[in-house]
Amino acid sequence: MSKPYEPKDIEKKWQETWEKEGAFCVGTDRSKPKYYVLLEFPYPSGQGLHVGHPRPYTAMDIIARKRRMQGYNVLFPMGWDAFGLPTENYAIQNKIHPKIVTENNVKHFKEQLKALGYSFDWDREINTTDPAYYKWTQWIFLKLFEKGLAYKSEMPINWCTSCKVGLANEEVVNGVCERCGGEVVRRVKSQWMLKITEYAEKLIEGLDDVDYVEKVKVSQKNWIGRSVGAEVDFVISGKEDKLRIFTTRPDTLFGATYMVISPEHPLIDKYRSDLKNWDEIVAYREMAARKSDFERTELVKEKTGVVLEGLTAVNPVNGKEIPIWISDYVLMSYGTGAIMAVPAHDERDWDFAKKFHLPIIEVVAGGDVEQAAFTDVASGKLVNSGFLDGLEVAEAKKKITEWLAEQGIGKQKVNYKLRDWVFSRQRYWGEPIPLVQCEKCGFVPIPESELPLMLPEVESYMPTDNGESPLAAMTDWVNTTCPCCGGPAKRETDTMPQWAGSSWYFLRYTDPNNKEAFASKEALDYWMPVDWYNGGMEHTTLHLLYSRFWHKFLYDLGLVSTPEPYQKRTSHGMIMGENNEKMSKSRGNVVNPDDIVNEFGADSLRTYEMFIGAFELSAAWSNEGVRGCRRFLERVWKLRDMLTEEEGYSAALETKVHQVIKKVSLDFEGLKFNTAIAAMMGLVNEFYRVGSVARGEFRTLLLLLNPVAPHITEELWELAGYEGRAYMQEWPVYEEAKTIEEETEIAVQLNGKVRATIKVGIKEEQDSVREKVMELEAVKKAAEGKNIVKEIYVKGRIYNIVVK
RNA sequence: GCCGCUGUUGCGGAAUUGGCAGACGCAGCAGACUCAAAAUCUGCAGGGUUCACGCUCGUGCCGGUUCGAGUCCGGCCAGCGGCACCA
């Protein structure tokens, strides 16, 4: 009898062996095809890993290990996205420098990851808080600044009252702070912004050339929110200025019965002296300004507004004079901050018109505009619209847009919902923005030779209520000289957001120690793009979009060789607690992987995480489920007692083995690990049923299972006396012809209901199958006294007889 | 309100994309081994009905297409996630 399976000993032994042998360091042989497997590097939090982390990690480890066995030169790196608020908060509470906190957390994470046996190339480990790394984050920022894509702007931002920090639009969820759930209010602050909007079109177009799961593409497109319409200038009666609006429905121009501008629209102040109800207007503006984002979304529906008495506009198509209103349902930050209102064909305008008794004119027939706005653009023809009458909506759009252009009062225009990226954080633990402000020269980049601009050592990292970064209190550091004129200057004291470091980290992995560049051209040319990137859906409109933006920018500068950073993007589902609720400390349902490794072993944990269910869907944790996977590995372990000398496959199981190789090979590629493992379990069950395993069969099983459970398979490989190491072997191949059974069981149906099963040859023709079918008692009985109307034979599946 | 996903057994989940629903695993039941238990091995196992061969119902609900529907079409219901006055 063989010795018992002791994962603790085995796993430690092989982890040490792999490290000693440099098993997973990237090879230098560049004649091999490359494969770059990437997963989202973690934020090293104080809590350490939870069982959610290993799911995507194990999946990608399987892909990386399989690719190596398939002969690829594989890059499968790991690092730390370590700047961020939780570390800073922990540092404040415990009076430990965030650098030390980060070091400790990284150490803990790394131990945990190593205990799971991942095949990362640890020689390429990176850390976004390392000055040698953030030097290049700052460098890229300076390039953005140089090209005019980074600018400082006085603007209302989302201010988290609890974190005391400005947030990007993407970080505000349901009107509250994504991280802490604190209230978010509008606050006008001077902020660094990145012009991601300049890349809106490219970010959409680029999606056509990459292999992302469809829902990621859809989310990004929706977030960018492209819409095609027209800009139209309306004359303001008796004034020089025109009121420019954006609309996606220029075809309804004849139905515009009033206009609405945003409360913040500059025209209001400009024509203050013309406005007879100024007090009322001011009161409304103040009310609108006081609302936080939360309140604005909270209050929805009921429309409010004030008419501007003393100013009117002229509808350019019919010369009619129409009133101008202000209302907070028109946003200054989208389009031109002004709209033409067509209540008959827009729900919001309809609500507003009903409330304030404004005229509703139908211009597209097909609905009842007294009852509701008619917004269907697919049906309906234009009416009450002069030269547009009788046209379909699409035709009318085209014709009116041409007409507007001829008249010089409008043109086609594309707008995006995407806003520029608020890039300043009033915090300590982030990359310093490498600029100084000089009274004479304005903002001046610090010279490249002075990069990295190091974070200074400070006494207190406490955020302040006045909205200044803790760095602002460091006068020694803040006061400096202008690199341009040598005069006195102040350093920028805001730092970069957490998303900065992760916007280009995949480039650094290709050449992590380069001191001359963020990565050499040669390394980038060889490794990029990332062949397969897996990550969470929650990053779709944040990290994933940001990093595509940075990469496209670098591409336009000729600094990277591919227009898109990631060729393929997949997503994993969350691991839920045993009660099927999200795992969290407060719910008390968090499972620590260390405990699972101790009780069952890393291989059991890895196998279970892959067996738990469809990879892209969420799944509830079950300790009993882990036990089942452990049981499976035990059964594999004991197969060694059943080995025969046969180096090939036994006649009895040859077909089965080929089928399983095929199934596992294909399922791994489709991230269908659960069914791949089920197939291997089935094969093991077959071995037990037969009572023996040929050495060749065992060999194949170990190789198929190796990416999932690398330790036990490596140990068994050695114990069974096969040559070399399992992880170095070639991936098993199958012969298509040998996956097909000679004989198979098919169902015999009568009117679609199964009445019997018979064995037939796989290639057997209908005539010969028919003979067997007609002899069946069930068929004879059913056919008696009835007509056979039709017979359908699907090879290897069914034989269906239709009787009447 | 809009977009996306999901609904199959006591539970987690399969089903070659229109061809024997419930693979594989968990929990359960029975047997073997054991003084006994655990572990392990071998079986059984959707519901109803029948001593049984069977028959019949069954993939959230209603309807349709088809020789045949978990899968396709139309109309609902429920749950999860995202967006939310974007003109």
Side-chain angles (χ1 to χ4, degrees):
Chain A
M1 279 304 278
S2 55
K3 59 183 183 179
Y5 171 45
E6 298 283 2
K8 265 199 190 102
D9 303 341
I10 293 171
E11 288 171 3
K12 191 151 183 284
K13 167 185 163 185
W14 288 105
Q15 284 158 16
E16 282 167 4
T17 307
W18 294 330
E19 189 152 351
K20 206 160 54 207
E21 293 176 354
F24 306 118
C25 293
V26 168
T28 48
D29 180 1
R30 297 249 163 136
S31 64
K32 280 190 187 175
K34 67 96 181 179
Y35 203 89
Y36 186 173
V37 185
L38 185 67
L39 44 82
E40 288 173 344
F41 61 163
Y43 174 72
S45 73
Q47 284 90 49
L49 293 180
H50 61 79
V51 289
H53 287 103
R55 196 183 198 189
Y57 296 177
T58 307
M60 290 295 103
D61 192 39
I62 289 170
I63 299 300
R65 286 173 179 271
K66 183 179 172 219
R67 286 290 181 277
R68 287 192 199 94
M69 293 169 85
Q70 287 173 311
Y72 288 88
N73 189 18
V74 170
L75 174 54
F76 184 46
M78 192 38 141
W80 317 102
D81 188 17
F83 275 128
L85 274 182
T87 299
E88 187 167 335
N89 289 340
Y90 182 90
I92 291 166
Q93 271 161 31
N94 297 281
K95 307 218 180 326
I96 310 173
H97 195 283
K99 197 162 71 186
I100 309 293
V101 177
T102 299
E103 264 170 34
N104 292 340
N105 289 351
V106 163
K107 190 161 164 276
H108 182 212
F109 261 70
K110 199 167 169 180
E111 277 166 11
Q112 287 187 300
L113 288 176
K114 285 199 165 177
L116 290 169
Y118 294 127
S119 63
F120 298 127
D121 179 354
W122 286 107
D123 290 351
R124 291 181 181 240
E125 178 180 352
I126 58 174
N127 185 325
T128 55
T129 66
D130 180 350
Y133 180 89
Y134 71 67
K135 168 179 178 174
W136 298 104
T137 311
Q138 292 173 330
W139 186 86
I140 296 169
F141 175 84
L142 289 182
K143 291 287 162 204
L144 287 158
F145 179 76
E146 224 173 78
K147 299 292 171 189
L149 290 172
Y151 63 97
K152 200 160 197 186
S153 165
E154 187 79 26
M155 67 171 306
I157 57 149
N158 307 297
W159 176 263
C160 173
T161 50
S162 163
C163 299
K164 292 169 183 168
V165 67
L167 301 174
N169 281 329
E170 290 82 349
E171 293 172 299
V172 182
V173 176
N174 294 330
V176 300
C177 173
E178 173 204 43
R179 227 172 339 237
C180 72
E183 194 196 355
V184 174
V185 297
R186 283 163 173 284
R187 193 154 169 173
V188 175
K189 244 206 134 268
S190 183
Q191 298 284 324
W192 282 101
M193 308 285 293
L194 294 188
K195 259 190 213 167
I196 190 172
T197 51
E198 191 124 309
Y199 279 79
E201 197 61 42
K202 284 186 179 177
L203 287 168
I204 292 175
E205 282 170 3
L207 292 173
D208 292 339
D209 304 323
V210 291
D211 174 22
Y212 289 9
V213 286
E214 197 54 31
K215 61 178 174 178
V216 169
K217 287 190 182 184
V218 169
S219 299
Q220 289 209 342
K221 279 182 192 164
N222 289 346
W223 186 261
I224 296 168
R226 182 182 199 269
S227 56
V228 182
E231 275 185 349
V232 185
D233 289 333
F234 281 63
V235 169
I236 301 174
S237 308
K239 304 290 177 202
E240 281 289 298
D241 281 303
K242 302 275 167 65
L243 181 53
R244 176 167 292 184
I245 61 100
F246 172 72
T247 179
T248 53
R249 295 292 306 275
D251 54 300
T252 62
L253 193 49
F254 282 87
T257 54
Y258 63 100
M259 313 204 58
V260 186
I261 63 177
S262 152
E264 298 93 24
H265 202 283
L267 274 181
I268 301 171
D269 281 319
K270 183 158 183 192
Y271 291 112
R272 176 178 177 164
S273 55
D274 296 283
L275 296 170
K276 297 181 185 119
N277 57 338
W278 180 251
D279 290 347
E280 200 186 352
I281 291 164
V282 169
Y284 184 79
R285 286 170 89 182
E286 275 176 9
M287 189 199 75
R290 255 203 319 277
K291 285 185 192 172
S292 66
D293 269 5
F294 186 67
E295 286 170 320
R296 273 203 179 192
T297 51
E298 193 65 340
L299 293 172
V300 264
K301 297 310 140 213
E302 186 72 349
K303 298 273 184 290
T304 57
V306 173
V307 70
L308 300 183
E309 288 175 26
L311 277 189
T312 55
V314 178
N315 187 335
V317 281
N318 54 20
K320 276 191 194 156
E321 207 158 301
I322 55 177
I324 303 172
W325 287 68
I326 58 171
S327 173
D328 65 1
Y329 84 90
V330 175
L331 309 173
M332 197 59 223
S333 51
Y334 183 77
T336 62
I339 61 158
M340 65 173 197
V342 184
H345 306 288
D346 181 283
E347 280 170 32
R348 294 149 305 180
D349 296 345
W350 192 89
D351 290 342
F352 194 84
K354 276 286 170 192
K355 176 158 180 188
F356 294 105
H357 310 294
L358 293 157
I360 298 171
I361 298 174
E362 177 182 62
V363 290
V364 181
D368 179 358
V369 299
E370 280 309 310
Q371 295 309 307
F374 179 67
T375 56
D376 184 2
V377 293
S379 69
K381 292 213 160 69
L382 276 280
V383 292
N384 300 327
S385 295
F387 62 92
L388 299 177
D389 279 349
L391 295 179
E392 309 261 343
V393 168
E395 296 167 333
K397 274 187 188 175
K398 209 174 149 224
K399 190 157 182 185
I400 188 77
T401 308
E402 281 164 10
W403 183 85
L404 289 166
E406 279 165 25
Q407 303 292 311
I409 53 173
K411 60 169 197 293
Q412 192 182 327
K413 166 85 181 169
V414 178
N415 261 327
Y416 304 92
K417 286 193 221 173
L418 185 70
R419 304 291 148 78
D420 278 341
W421 174 10
V422 179
F423 200 69
S424 300
R425 294 302 122 95
Q426 297 71 39
R427 280 290 177 153
Y428 174 75
W429 195 230
E431 300 88 346
I433 292 175
L435 296 171
V436 301
Q437 188 172 21
C438 165
E439 279 176 26
K440 264 193 271 172
C441 315
F443 280 104
V444 180
I446 69 168
E448 211 176 302
S449 61
E450 285 177 29
L451 292 181
L453 171 62
M454 304 276 281
L455 266 173
E457 298 289 328
V458 297
E459 296 289 313
S460 162
Y461 331 105
M462 285 293 282
T464 58
D465 283 317
N466 64 10
E468 292 286 349
S469 157
L471 293 178
M474 291 278 306
T475 44
D476 286 356
W477 184 79
V478 172
N479 291 317
T480 183
T481 51
C482 172
C484 193
C485 69
K490 286 186 189 306
R491 289 192 193 281
E492 172 59 55
T493 57
D494 282 356
T495 52
M496 299 188 199
Q498 164 143 42
W499 311 108
S502 58
S503 291
W504 70 281
Y505 76 113
F506 47 92
L507 300 172
R508 189 62 175 174
Y509 280 139
T510 67
D511 193 8
N513 301 311
N514 197 318
K515 291 198 170 63
E516 312 304 318
F518 60 81
S520 72
K521 183 169 188 315
E522 185 267 330
L524 291 167
D525 285 349
Y526 180 71
W527 287 112
M528 291 300 290
V530 172
D531 292 281
W532 191 336
Y533 190 21
N534 184 80
M537 275 309 288
E538 69 275 17
H539 291 132
T540 301
T541 54
L542 293 158
H543 157 67
L544 197 66
L545 197 61
Y546 293 154
S547 57
R548 287 184 60 224
F549 160 47
W550 277 37
H551 193 265
K552 285 184 170 299
F553 167 70
L554 294 172
Y555 178 73
D556 286 348
L557 294 188
L559 296 171
V560 294
S561 44
T562 60
E564 284 286 337
Y566 320 117
Q567 182 48 43
K568 172 171 180 163
R569 169 79 177 188
T570 54
S571 278
H572 55 271
M574 230 188 307
I575 299 275
M576 315 291 269
E578 293 210 82
N579 52 2
N580 205 18
E581 285 174 24
K582 206 170 163 176
M583 273 193 197
S584 72
K585 248 199 285 182
S586 57
R587 289 191 179 91
N589 59 355
V590 176
V591 180
N592 184 334
D594 298 349
D595 298 339
I596 304 299
V597 171
N598 275 331
E599 192 177 345
F600 301 101
D603 283 334
S604 295
L605 173 67
R606 294 171 58 117
T607 306
Y608 176 62
E609 295 241 5
M610 295 298 98
F611 187 62
I612 191 168
F615 184 68
E616 63 281 9
L617 300 178
S618 66
W621 185 263
S622 153
N623 268 351
E624 288 311 307
V626 189
R627 197 181 305 281
C629 288
R630 166 69 185 253
R631 197 137 45 200
F632 164 61
L633 295 181
E634 295 269 6
R635 279 164 73 80
V636 173
W637 181 259
K638 285 187 292 194
L639 282 175
R640 206 156 54 86
D641 298 331
M642 293 156 51
L643 279 180
T644 69
E645 289 305 308
E646 170 67 56
E647 294 289 345
Y649 302 150
S650 67
L653 290 178
E654 185 181 33
T655 305
K656 181 82 183 165
V657 173
H658 280 275
Q659 285 172 345
V660 172
I661 297 172
K662 181 178 180 182
K663 176 102 184 121
V664 171
S665 302
L666 295 178
D667 280 358
F668 279 179
E669 295 305 316
L671 297 173
K672 289 159 87 175
F673 304 107
N674 50 341
T675 49
I677 292 168
M680 289 189 274
M681 287 172 167
L683 180 61
V684 171
N685 291 347
E686 283 296 301
F687 292 147
Y688 274 81
R689 199 178 53 76
V690 172
S692 66
V693 201
R695 280 181 62 81
E697 292 163 354
F698 191 52
R699 184 180 191 279
T700 295
L701 174 69
L702 292 181
L703 295 179
L704 292 177
L705 187 57
N706 177 263
V708 180
H711 311 89
I712 185 176
T713 48
E714 201 66 74
E715 179 72 12
L716 285 169
W717 185 266
E718 188 177 72
L719 287 173
Y722 300 114
E723 297 250 319
R725 299 272 185 246
Y727 74 83
M728 294 176 173
Q729 306 305 308
E730 268 179 44
W731 185 251
V733 289
Y734 63 92
E735 289 171 51
E736 186 63 42
K738 291 191 175 169
T739 63
I740 297 160
E741 314 255 10
E742 290 284 295
E743 206 176 46
T744 185
E745 205 177 62
I746 66 164
V748 178
Q749 298 183 336
L750 281 157
N751 292 341
K753 286 191 173 151
V754 182
R755 283 295 121 101
T757 57
I758 54 166
K759 288 215 162 174
V760 300
I762 189 69
K763 288 183 197 138
E764 208 166 326
E765 293 301 325
Q766 179 157 3
D767 290 349
S768 129
V769 175
R770 184 168 200 277
E771 276 174 37
K772 292 183 192 170
V773 168
M774 291 307 165
E775 278 168 25
L776 291 168
E777 277 307 311
V779 175
K780 282 183 185 163
K781 220 170 84 186
E784 212 174 339
K786 288 181 181 164
N787 290 329
I788 293 180
V789 187
K790 198 171 177 183
E791 289 171 51
I792 297 119
Y793 175 51
V794 181
K795 265 188 193 172
R797 297 275 158 217
I798 54 125
Y799 197 103
N800 190 16
I801 302 167
V802 186
V803 295
K804 236 180 186 170

